[in-house]
Amino acid sequence: FMKISELKDIDLYLVIDDLRDTQDPYQAALDRASESLKLTFSLERDVLFRFFIFRFSDKKALITFTFHHIILDFISLMILQREYLSYV
């Protein structure tokens, strides 16, 4: 049984991490991104797509996301990547 939520029912998991005051913001972002990969997903309780924004300066940031494989296959991931890169 698949439950499809209406848009109003969807929560967003978004972490904005301001690293501007850290000694090495790039390494801090890599460390925190690695930690985010260790978080598991619960199909019953969790949002299955997580965004992380690591802010380095007023003009630079790293955006990462993790997702459960049930919602994004390889082809979909390539489409998402293509669409994202068309805006960068």
Side-chain angles (χ1 to χ4, degrees), residues 12-48:
L12 178 64
Y13 185 103
L14 171 63
V15 174
I16 301 174
D17 203 347
D18 191 343
L19 303 173
R20 290 179 287 185
D21 294 332
T22 60
Q23 184 175 359
D24 187 349
Y26 297 103
Q27 186 59 51
L30 289 175
D31 293 342
R32 293 175 188 182
S34 288
E35 287 300 313
S36 75
L37 294 174
K38 296 177 185 175
L39 299 173
T40 60
F41 290 98
S42 168
L43 293 176
E44 291 85 27
R45 293 187 312 271
D46 289 338
V47 176
L48 301 180

Side-chain angles (χ1 to χ4, degrees), residues 67-85:
F67 54 88
H68 192 282
H69 68 91
I70 201 169
I71 63 164
L72 202 60
D73 63 5
F74 183 75
I75 299 297
S76 301
L77 182 59
M78 294 299 100
I79 293 169
L80 180 65
Q81 179 183 13
R82 184 186 69 217
E83 291 296 316
Y84 173 75
L85 291 176

